[in-house]
């Protein structure tokens, strides 16, 4: 039903060419007609497709001499669908049709493309300055080909931004504008929030990011090769180092058409779950700390620290850097599986106990329930992803289930079973093999701070079960020392230039997607990466602003948040500024 | 989960156990003994250092390690070091990240808000010379007056909390 | 009373008030250390606030060009106001330097708050205004509560003079105290109000780093160096004053009636110390064992305090009439 071919047959009038993909789970179509693209995206939005990302590519120096856009969708039937749209209108070489009406989540990407490529949609407004603020000269477009680092540097240096005097922000009667940031009071990242307040109630919030823009995509293209890019990928967003490098490696491996050795897949799965556990523990601790509940917060912070120390023991780095390499994993020594198993069990017991206390304590609940509500509908239309989407009731939205790869695709391990029961749908639905110490029910997932905290606890527990299964699997393989890495260099050289590969990994925040196009001599011609934070920042705004309560039939009740609750909501989303700003 | 309420027994037991431990002295602290771990010179404390964190475009790895310092396993408070909310209160600016163009003005204003004597400790490889991000267009040069205020650098990507702790405890003595 | 007696009591009042001002950072240090120890941390030690203050006092004050004399004078106003309060309560000896009534005490507290709120507005920063508005919101709750406590005491003792009320409580002694429910209700009410006045959990978080949840601390964000030292010290004095008030008024032990008798003073010093340690321990436990309330919900403890006093007042009137 949701097969993309059916959609193309139904709505497309112009020619649509399907190009073969090496990976059987991917599909690629070239759509030349803008109207077709819009109709097809509308069809996709009606058929439960999830919009992943939009990649722009400057192919003016290649055979087609134009810009191209690649739209990436995740289909409900398990395929990753790429729609290629060439910007072939000679009168408007930088204009493209906007799919915003069917997928509003594309908006931040459109702003971004305007800054980095100078591309803008036919309809719908875009503004500059989301990534490149006033210090950058106009029409800078760093991601266009031919703009070398030296030229860009020179232009930025020569440019002196106009000195603007602070101007008053126009506000409606009785409202107050309150700008906060970009530098914040705690040990947190830089970003600016502008609140529109009526008393303490937040009517609207404008989130302005981009302060941490480091030009990472360009850096991939100018200074890194496919074999070494993982080093930079690890430093895109430090708290998801492992997931980022895993997604990057996955993209390179899918480009080379190899599957990593089985033991390496086990290790990757195990470490990805360790990262998830560690960050969920840290987030729970931080959330409790923000409620000023010192005793439990410090206990939870101890659990978090112990997970980082476990990481250190397993692979020599507290944030699991330097493990993933394209083609497999690189471990300094074979870690003690017993240590991993025992430590994680102890920590899980403590975390679950503490998490349960927080969830059950009335005073904590009072702060969390109905605070920062992101309704299921808003999550779906806004393109929210990862834990945030799941906490709003879209509990199936998980790339480990939608597009299983690596260890999640091994049927014998049955990891999907474990994942599917993270949220308890009903008590009799739970198979006897699966045990939940802190059962979280679907009715708990109502998109508020409470739901996000509860889901963090549940997912931490799932991660522990997954780790246990993977440890058992690794034990079974025994001491046979098979290589953990396949050499990729030659395979990559054999791949034709300007071929692209897609890599993804479900980090603890949501799916991370890398889109890599190979250049000559294993260079990276184009690297586009999408951190889950990108869409979730929009979702967070939606959760904060004052809006009618959809659960109230009379429509007179409003969901509103007060300013003092903003830190709590922010922490419950815990989005990456660095991952957004790139 | 949403509806049912449990008594807060776990909490109460935890707290009572702690009070009992405090009164009888029979308890072990989370952190190792400071003198054994960090040397007597550092453990003696008797200092007062207020630290303000300033993010200049880090990958948030350094932030993870900085916030780890306040957990009971490092317990930075026992060394007389405290993270402050305002640059006005601070003696030391803990600067992370490679100094992006977009944050240049904000960083300058933050430093300007501090009271003398003040200094900067750079944390992480990229705060030193851009590190892995050295070759991008998005970095600005640190102005000379900020460069001169740097009294110490903690290498690492990210540095361990212990290394940061040592640097924060040792360096500011001359300036503070 | 002859001149020497007046002089003597003045000197004693001056001495114990001054000592209390000097001891205030130690009380806060003790509170922080106990909290740290309960979290199985070592903590910075009782003396750390002294080190902090000493360092801050040597740093110059940085003031934004946008601020006026209001911002500059507030630290001194706070310090003087809270110091005045300290000289009004008997600590280990019944003599005080300043004799006044409770209404004066309430409005000296109010003056300090008013001055602080003005300073917050004076900075022109969004946080300053935010903090001021929240401070006034808290003040609205506490002022009524405190007045009701004073009314309760007044109806009970027919006086609001600080010294006379203290004396009455001491005469009553600790044991008899528990036979008078109205006084116990007033104790609870005052204890809640102390949490409000000293900006503790669950009303406000004194150690927060989240600028948007701050009430009191939001105003202090702009102070630096000497100014900050003075403000912080003033806050410590206030907390010590409030705990002393609570301890000496509602834990009237030992009886300090025998004015000037040396054995009683010898006895009352450790007793006072013990009371303070007990109160600090209770405060630490209270703060650790619960999260902060949502900002709007602080109305609840505020009204609870008022209600407790009201019940005490009605009970007193009822029993005395009947």
């Amino acid at each position: 039903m949701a097969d993309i071919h059916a959609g193309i047959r139904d709505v497309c009038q112009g020619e649509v060419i399907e190009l073969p993909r090496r990976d059987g789970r991917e599909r690629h179509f070239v759509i030349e007609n803008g109207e077709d693209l819009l109709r097809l995206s509308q069809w996709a939005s009606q058929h439960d497709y999830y919009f992943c990302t939009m990649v722009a590519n400057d192919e003016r120096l290649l055979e087609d001499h134009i810009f191209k856009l690649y739209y990436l969708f995740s289909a409900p039937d398990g395929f990753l669908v790429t729609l290629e749209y060439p910007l072939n209108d000679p009168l408007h070489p930088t204009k493209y049709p906007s799919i915003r009406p069917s997928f509003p989540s594309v908006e931040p990407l459109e702003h971004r493309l305007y800054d980095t490529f100078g591309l803008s949609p036919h309809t719908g407004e875009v503004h500059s300055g989301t990534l490149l603020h006033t210090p950058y000269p106009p029409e800078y477009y760093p991601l266009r080909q031919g703009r070398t680092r030296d030229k860009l540097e020179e232009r930025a240096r020569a440019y002196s931004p106009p000195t603007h005097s602070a101007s008053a922000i126009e506000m409606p009667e009785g409202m107050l504008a309150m700008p906060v940031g970009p530098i914040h009071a705690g040990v947190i990242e830089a970003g600016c929030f502008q609140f529109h307040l009526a008393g303490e109630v937040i009517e609207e919030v404008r989130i302005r990011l981009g302060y941490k823009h480091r030009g990472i995509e360009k850096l991939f293209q100018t200074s890194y090769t496919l074999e070494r890019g993982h080093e930079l990928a690890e430093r895109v967003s430090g708290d998801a180092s492992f997931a980022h490098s895993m997604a990057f490696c996955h993209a390179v491996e899918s480009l080379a058409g190899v599957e990593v050795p089985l033991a390496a897949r086990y290790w990757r799965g195990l470490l990805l779950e360790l990262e998830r556990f560690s960050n969920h523990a840290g987030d729970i601790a931080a959330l409790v700390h923000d409620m000023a509940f010192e005793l439990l917060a410090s206990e939870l912070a101890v659990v978090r620290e112990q997970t980082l120390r476990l990481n250190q023991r397993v692979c020599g780095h507290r944030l699991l850097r330097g493990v993933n390499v394209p083609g497999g994993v690189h471990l300094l020594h074979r870690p003690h599986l017993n240590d991993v198993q025992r430590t994680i069990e102890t920590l899980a017991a403590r975390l679950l106990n503490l998490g349960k206390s927080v969830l059950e304590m009335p005073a904590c609940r009072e702060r969390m329930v109905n605070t920062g509500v992101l309704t299921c509908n808003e999550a779906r239309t806004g393109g929210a992803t990862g834990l945030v989407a799941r906490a709003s009731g879209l509990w199936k939205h998980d790339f480990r289930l939608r597009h299983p790869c690596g260890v999640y695709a091994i049927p014998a391990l049955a990891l999907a079973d474990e994942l599917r029961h993270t949220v308890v749908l009903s008590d009799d639905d739970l198979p006897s093999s699966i045990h939940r110490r802190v059962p979280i029910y679907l009715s708990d997932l109502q998109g508020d701070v409470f739901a996000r905290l509860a889901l963090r606890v549940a997912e931490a527990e799932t991660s522990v079960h997954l780790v246990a299964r993977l440890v058992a699997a690794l034990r079974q393989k025994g001491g046979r020392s098979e290589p953990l890495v396949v050499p990729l260099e030659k395979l990559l050289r054999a791949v034709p230039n300007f071929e692209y590969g897609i890599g993804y990994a479900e980090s603890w925040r949501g799916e991370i997607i890398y889109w890599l196009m190979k250049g000559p001599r294993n260079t990276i011609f184009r690297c586009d990466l999408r951190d889950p934070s990108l869409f979730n920042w929009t979702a967070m705004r939606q959760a904060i602003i004052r809006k009618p309560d959809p659960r109230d039939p009379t429509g007179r009740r409003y969901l509103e948040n007060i300013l003092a609750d903003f830190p709590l909501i922010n922490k419950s989303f815990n989005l990456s500024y660095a991952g957004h700003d790139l | 989960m949403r509806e049912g309420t449990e008594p807060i027994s776990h909490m109460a037991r935890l707290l009572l156990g702690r009070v009992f431990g405090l009164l009888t002295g029979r308890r072990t602290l989370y952190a190792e003994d400071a003198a054994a771990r960090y040397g007597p010179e550092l453990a003696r404390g008797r200092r007062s250092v207020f630290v303000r964190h300033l993010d200049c475009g880090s990958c948030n790895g350094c932030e993870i390690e900085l916030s780890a310092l306040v957990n009971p396993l490092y317990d930075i408070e026992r060394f007389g070091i405290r993270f402050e909310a305002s640059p006005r209160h601070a003696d030391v600016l803990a600067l992370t990240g490679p100094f992006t163009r977009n944050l240049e003005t904000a960083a300058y204003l933050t430093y300007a808000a501090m009271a003398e004597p003040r200094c900067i400790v750079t944390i992480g490889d990229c705060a030193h010379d851009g590190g892995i991000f050295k070759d991008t267009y998005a970095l600005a040069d640190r102005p000379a007056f900020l460069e001169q205020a740097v009294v110490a650098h903690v290498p690492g990507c990210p540095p361990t909390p212990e290394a940061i702790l040592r640097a924060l405890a040792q360096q500011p003595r001359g300036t503070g | 009373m002859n001149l020497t007696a007046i002089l003597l009591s003045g000197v004693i009042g001056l001495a114990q008030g001054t000592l209390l001002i000097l001891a205030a950072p130690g009380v806060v240090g003790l509170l922080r250390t106990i909290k740290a120890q309960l979290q199985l941390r070592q903590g910075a030690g009782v003396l750390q606030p002294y080190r902090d203050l000493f360092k801050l006092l040597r740093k110059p004050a940085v003031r934004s060009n946008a601020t006026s004399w209001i911002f500059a004078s507030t630290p001194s106003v706070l310090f003087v106001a809270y110091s005045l309060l300290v000289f009004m309560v008997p600590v280990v000896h019944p003599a005080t330097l300043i004799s006044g009534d409770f209404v004066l005490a309430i409005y000296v507290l109010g003056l300090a708050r008013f001055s602080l709120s003005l300073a917050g507005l004076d900075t022109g920063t969004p946080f300053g205004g935010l903090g001021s508005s929240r401070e006034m919101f808290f003040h609205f709750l506490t002022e009524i509560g405190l007045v009701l406590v004073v009314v309760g005491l007044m109806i009970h003792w027919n006086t609001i003079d600080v010294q006379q009320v203290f004396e009455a409580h001491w005469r009553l002694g600790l044991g008899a105290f528990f036979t008078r429910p109205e006084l116990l209700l007033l104790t609870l009410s005052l204890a809640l109000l102390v949490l409000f006045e000293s900006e503790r959990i669950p009303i406000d978080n004194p150690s927060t780093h989240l600028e948007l949840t701050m009430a009191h601390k939001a105003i202090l964000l702009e102070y630096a160096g000497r100014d900050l030292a003075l403000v912080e010290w003033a806050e410590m004095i206030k907390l010590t004053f409030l705990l002393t008030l609570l301890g000496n008024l509602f834990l009237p032990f030992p009886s300090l009636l025998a004015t000037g008798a040396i054995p009683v003073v010898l006895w009352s010093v450790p007793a006072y110390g013990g009371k303070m340690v007990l109160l600090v321990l209770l405060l630490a436990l209270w703060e650790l064992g619960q999260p902060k309330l949502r900002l709007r919900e602080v109305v609840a403890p505020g009204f609870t305090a008022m209600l407790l006093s009201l019940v005490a007042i009605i009970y007193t009137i009822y029993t005395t009439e009947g």
Side-chain angles (χ1 to χ4, degrees):
Chain A
M1 216 15 242
D3 189 350
I4 187 79
H5 292 105
I8 291 171
R9 218 173 29 242
D10 288 355
V11 299
C12 292
Q13 287 159 2
E15 197 186 5
V16 176
I17 309 160
E18 175 160 17
L19 298 177
R21 291 291 296 163
R22 181 159 10 190
D23 189 334
R25 310 298 289 169
E26 284 180 26
R27 281 170 172 173
H28 185 113
F29 300 91
V30 185
I31 298 184
E32 305 233 346
N33 185 339
E35 292 296 315
D36 276 353
L37 178 71
L38 293 182
R39 276 194 296 268
L40 192 59
S41 69
Q42 196 185 1
W43 177 89
S45 79
Q46 286 157 358
H47 285 81
D48 211 20
Y49 276 57
Y50 175 71
F51 171 69
C52 294
T53 186
M54 171 172 77
V55 181
N57 197 13
D58 181 358
E59 301 185 9
R60 289 179 301 170
L61 300 174
L62 307 187
E63 47 182 341
D64 295 334
H65 306 290
I66 45 172
F67 288 102
K68 276 187 184 169
L69 290 177
Y70 298 85
Y71 293 85
L72 192 63
F73 294 93
S74 145
D77 52 1
F79 286 96
L80 274 176
V81 178
T82 305
L83 301 181
E84 175 185 336
Y85 176 76
L87 273 60
N88 50 11
D89 184 351
L91 292 176
H92 305 286
T94 59
K95 290 270 184 190
Y96 59 92
S98 171
I99 62 164
R100 222 186 278 186
S102 26
F103 290 103
S105 51
V106 76
E107 192 184 332
L109 284 163
E110 290 183 345
H111 296 312
R112 183 170 290 208
L113 290 196
Y114 187 59
D115 264 359
T116 53
F117 278 98
L119 303 180
S120 55
H122 286 300
T123 53
E125 224 176 283
V126 282
H127 51 80
S128 62
T130 50
L131 286 189
L132 309 178
H133 295 176
T134 43
Y136 290 94
E139 297 185 7
Y140 195 59
Y141 310 145
L143 286 180
R144 286 190 178 180
Q145 296 297 333
R147 309 217 160 180
T148 59
R149 189 240 166 200
D150 290 339
K151 270 190 212 159
L152 287 168
E153 176 85 44
E154 197 182 315
R155 271 186 65 200
R157 220 185 267 271
Y159 177 70
S160 56
T163 46
H164 64 287
S165 52
S167 55
I169 306 161
E170 289 278 329
M171 292 299 289
E173 182 74 27
M175 293 252 272
L176 171 78
M178 173 143 173
V180 179
I183 310 286
H184 296 275
V187 182
I188 23 176
E189 300 182 64
C192 185
F193 304 96
Q194 195 191 88
F195 297 97
H196 297 180
L197 302 174
E200 285 275 351
V201 175
I202 305 173
E203 287 280 341
E204 169 68 278
V205 58
R206 303 257 157 82
I207 302 172
R208 181 149 195 250
L209 300 172
Y211 289 94
K212 304 183 69 170
H213 178 62
R214 291 156 291 167
I216 284 182
E217 292 186 344
K218 188 73 177 179
L219 192 59
F220 267 115
Q221 292 161 207
T222 54
S223 308
Y224 285 85
T225 58
L226 291 168
E227 295 113 335
R228 277 191 50 235
H230 60 280
E231 292 168 18
L232 184 57
E234 281 172 344
R235 285 155 180 90
V236 171
S237 179
D239 44 18
S241 293
F242 191 82
H244 264 282
S245 63
M246 190 163 145
F248 179 86
C249 293
H250 184 213
V252 176
E253 285 147 15
S254 97
L255 202 57
V258 293
E259 180 82 81
V260 298
L262 195 60
R265 282 158 81 185
Y266 287 163
W267 275 112
R268 275 192 184 169
L270 194 150
L271 294 174
L272 188 68
E273 295 305 325
L274 274 189
E275 184 176 78
R276 191 184 319 277
F277 181 81
S278 167
N279 279 295
H280 282 341
D283 276 356
I284 298 168
L287 200 68
V288 176
H289 180 79
D290 282 7
M291 288 192 275
F293 199 163
E294 288 303 323
L295 184 69
L296 290 195
S298 70
E299 291 300 301
L300 285 159
V302 170
V303 174
R304 150 77 163 175
E305 174 67 20
Q306 301 285 17
T307 61
L308 293 179
R309 290 184 180 183
L310 176 67
N311 288 350
Q312 168 86 36
R313 289 203 296 278
V314 172
C315 71
H317 197 286
R318 286 162 59 91
L319 304 179
L320 297 170
R321 285 177 182 171
V323 186
N324 272 321
V325 287
V329 293
H330 175 72
L331 292 170
L332 293 172
H333 55 273
R334 284 291 166 114
H336 295 289
L337 290 169
N338 287 336
D339 174 34
V340 176
Q341 176 72 24
R342 221 176 311 121
T343 314
I344 199 97
E345 284 287 329
T346 335
L347 293 178
R350 289 174 69 185
L351 179 72
L352 293 178
N353 252 338
L354 293 165
K356 196 162 183 265
S357 316
V358 177
L359 289 174
E360 284 176 345
M361 196 163 171
C364 296
R365 239 182 248 205
E366 212 281 316
R367 301 272 333 249
M368 297 189 293
V369 171
N370 272 341
T371 306
V373 179
L374 180 74
T375 62
C376 189
N377 228 349
E378 287 165 345
R380 191 176 295 121
T381 51
T385 180
L387 182 130
V388 171
R390 294 196 284 277
S392 288
L394 304 172
W395 62 276
K396 284 183 193 158
H397 186 91
D398 185 333
F399 266 45
R400 290 173 294 174
L401 291 170
R402 272 178 95 112
H403 305 284
C405 69
V407 77
Y408 304 101
I410 303 174
L413 284 174
L415 298 187
D417 262 5
E418 210 47 90
L419 283 172
R420 224 167 267 127
H421 292 102
T422 301
V423 179
V424 182
L425 297 180
S426 70
D427 279 324
D428 20 290
D429 173 57
L430 211 59
S432 54
S433 62
I434 286 164
H435 172 63
R436 310 292 312 177
R437 269 183 281 190
V438 186
I440 302 298
Y441 296 90
L442 193 55
S443 59
D444 290 326
L445 304 184
Q446 293 185 2
D448 51 6
V449 175
F450 179 84
R452 285 184 284 275
L453 181 73
L455 195 61
R456 285 207 152 90
V457 175
E459 291 200 357
E461 186 173 357
T462 307
S463 288
V464 175
H465 294 317
L466 295 185
V467 168
R469 286 188 186 213
L470 290 165
V471 166
L474 276 167
R475 267 214 200 102
Q476 232 170 27
K477 286 188 71 69
R480 272 180 297 143
S481 55
E482 61 172 295
L484 290 173
V485 190
V486 276
L488 281 187
E489 204 198 335
K490 282 207 185 108
L491 287 169
L492 280 172
R493 279 190 198 283
V495 176
N497 288 344
F498 311 114
E499 185 70 21
Y500 76 87
I502 300 169
Y504 52 86
E506 179 77 23
S507 76
W508 58 278
R509 273 202 186 95
E511 76 283 348
I512 292 167
I513 299 171
Y514 275 74
W515 192 96
L516 292 179
M517 184 177 262
K518 180 181 178 280
R521 292 183 308 279
N522 287 357
T523 53
I524 302 172
F525 182 76
R526 171 89 178 100
C527 168
D528 185 282
L529 72 99
R530 205 220 73 202
D531 192 90
S533 304
L534 181 71
F535 291 161
N536 283 352
W537 276 113
T538 330
M540 191 173 96
R541 176 190 158 267
Q542 199 63 39
I544 291 167
I545 57 171
R546 184 167 179 270
K547 60 198 175 192
D549 189 343
R551 289 162 296 182
D552 179 35
T554 61
R556 256 173 295 167
R557 263 221 334 256
Y558 275 77
L559 284 172
E560 53 184 32
N561 296 294
I562 56 174
L563 192 60
D565 279 335
F566 171 76
L568 205 60
I569 302 170
N570 191 16
K571 198 66 85 198
S572 78
F573 278 81
N574 194 11
L575 304 176
S576 170
Y577 300 66
H580 172 279
D581 296 350
L582 299 183
Chain B
M1 202 79 215
R2 224 163 242 274
E3 268 79 44
T5 39
E6 271 281 300
I8 44 176
S9 54
H10 184 72
M11 261 293 308
R13 245 181 296 135
L14 193 65
L15 207 52
L16 280 178
R18 292 296 162 79
V19 176
F20 184 73
L22 180 69
L23 295 180
T24 56
R26 260 187 289 164
R27 73 204 189 290
T28 20
L29 300 179
Y30 275 119
E32 286 172 75
D33 181 54
R37 178 88 199 177
Y38 300 93
E41 166 67 14
L42 223 149
R44 211 173 295 127
R46 306 218 184 99
R47 65 177 76 75
S48 161
V49 181
F50 289 1
V51 183
R52 180 68 174 78
H53 162 244
L54 175 66
D55 173 12
C56 286
S58 74
C59 71
N60 76 33
C62 292
E63 278 73 14
I64 293 177
E65 302 301 37
L66 273 173
S67 32
L69 285 174
V70 292
N71 74 37
L73 284 160
Y74 294 102
D75 187 15
I76 196 168
E77 199 193 335
R78 67 188 154 147
F79 299 98
I81 306 172
R82 196 165 101 189
F83 284 98
E84 272 295 330
S86 168
R88 295 247 191 251
H89 303 180
D91 311 306
V92 180
L93 199 62
L95 195 152
T96 61
F99 211 75
T100 61
R101 235 175 256 288
N102 285 339
L103 274 170
E104 197 179 353
T105 321
Y108 160 72
L109 289 174
T110 306
Y111 181 74
M114 290 169 72
E116 297 277 358
R118 55 190 170 177
C119 67
I120 297 178
V121 172
T122 51
I123 290 169
D125 289 344
C126 58
H128 184 54
D129 59 352
I132 196 161
F133 305 115
K134 202 176 349 187
D135 290 328
T136 82
Y137 59 86
L139 303 191
D141 297 323
R142 275 208 293 258
F145 71 95
L146 283 186
E147 208 55 60
Q148 281 155 12
V150 176
V151 292
H153 169 64
V154 193
C157 187
T160 58
E162 198 180 313
I164 302 176
L165 200 159
R166 281 178 196 279
L168 289 180
Q170 275 167 354
Q171 296 303 331
R173 194 162 277 180
T175 57
Chain C
M1 224 192 268
N2 59 31
L3 193 65
T4 41
I6 293 173
L7 264 180
L8 188 66
S9 82
V11 169
I12 292 171
L14 185 70
Q16 62 182 5
T18 316
L19 281 176
L20 208 59
I21 289 173
L22 292 177
V27 174
V28 172
L30 182 68
L31 177 65
R32 288 189 194 150
T33 307
I34 290 181
K35 278 178 86 169
Q37 291 277 345
L38 288 174
Q39 296 174 54
L40 294 185
R41 293 192 291 118
Q42 191 183 324
V46 178
L47 297 181
Q48 186 61 31
Y50 290 105
R51 284 192 279 271
D52 292 345
L53 286 183
F54 185 63
K55 177 200 71 186
L56 285 174
L57 278 171
R58 283 181 306 162
K59 290 185 82 152
V62 181
R63 291 175 194 146
S64 146
N65 293 333
T67 58
S68 68
W69 59 270
I70 296 177
F71 180 79
S73 63
T74 293
S76 325
V77 173
L78 289 186
F79 190 80
V80 170
Y82 294 144
S83 304
L84 275 182
L85 289 176
V86 166
F87 288 113
M88 279 171 72
V89 286
V91 186
V92 289
H93 190 280
T96 56
L97 187 67
I98 305 167
S99 68
D101 55 35
F102 278 110
V103 176
L104 179 67
I106 292 174
Y107 286 97
V108 170
L109 277 175
L111 172 73
R113 266 225 159 121
F114 176 67
S115 172
L116 197 62
S117 302
L118 278 189
L121 292 173
D122 191 39
T123 58
T125 65
F127 298 123
L130 182 84
S132 298
S133 120
R134 288 178 182 168
E135 275 291 287
M136 287 335 272
F137 171 52
F138 292 167
H139 185 68
F140 151 75
L141 289 169
T142 51
E143 190 178 276
I144 304 175
L146 285 171
V147 166
L148 283 175
V149 172
V150 171
V151 171
L153 288 173
M154 187 188 78
I155 293 179
H156 197 276
W157 297 117
N158 277 324
T159 176
I160 49 169
D161 184 87
V162 174
Q163 239 173 334
Q164 285 175 19
V165 172
F166 268 85
E167 213 166 285
H169 278 212
W170 281 326
R171 193 165 289 133
L172 206 58
L174 195 58
F177 205 75
F178 288 95
T179 61
R180 304 209 174 180
E182 67 273 29
L183 289 183
L184 288 177
L185 286 174
L186 289 179
T187 316
L188 286 180
S189 174
L190 189 67
L192 273 175
L193 292 166
V194 165
L195 293 178
F196 262 100
E197 276 296 333
S198 54
E199 271 90 23
R200 313 304 300 189
I201 289 169
I203 314 302
D204 192 4
N205 181 1
S207 61
T208 183
H209 288 291
L210 305 164
E211 61 263 67
L212 293 177
T213 64
M214 292 172 180
H216 184 69
K217 243 190 128 182
I219 306 175
L220 308 190
L221 284 177
E222 280 296 302
Y223 280 109
R226 268 199 308 278
D227 284 350
L228 181 66
L230 220 51
V231 177
E232 287 218 332
W233 195 356
E235 295 306 323
M236 293 169 185
I237 295 170
K238 178 166 150 190
L239 179 68
T240 316
F241 159 74
L242 290 168
L243 290 180
T244 307
L245 186 70
L246 198 62
N248 275 356
L249 202 57
F250 292 112
L251 294 172
F253 168 82
S255 168
L256 293 179
L257 279 176
T259 315
I262 286 178
V264 174
V265 173
L266 279 181
W267 181 211
S268 71
V269 171
Y272 173 75
K275 271 192 279 193
M276 289 303 271
V277 172
L278 179 72
L279 284 175
V280 166
L281 180 67
L282 286 178
L283 183 58
L285 281 174
W286 170 267
E287 288 208 287
L288 281 177
Q290 64 180 328
K292 190 170 102 77
L293 283 172
R294 193 177 277 204
L295 186 67
R296 282 173 168 178
E297 310 296 329
V298 301
V299 177
F303 279 137
T304 311
M306 292 180 206
L307 202 68
L308 288 171
S309 309
L310 266 181
V311 173
I313 291 168
I314 293 168
Y315 182 84
T316 322
I317 294 173
Y318 180 76
T319 44
T320 45
E321 299 272 305

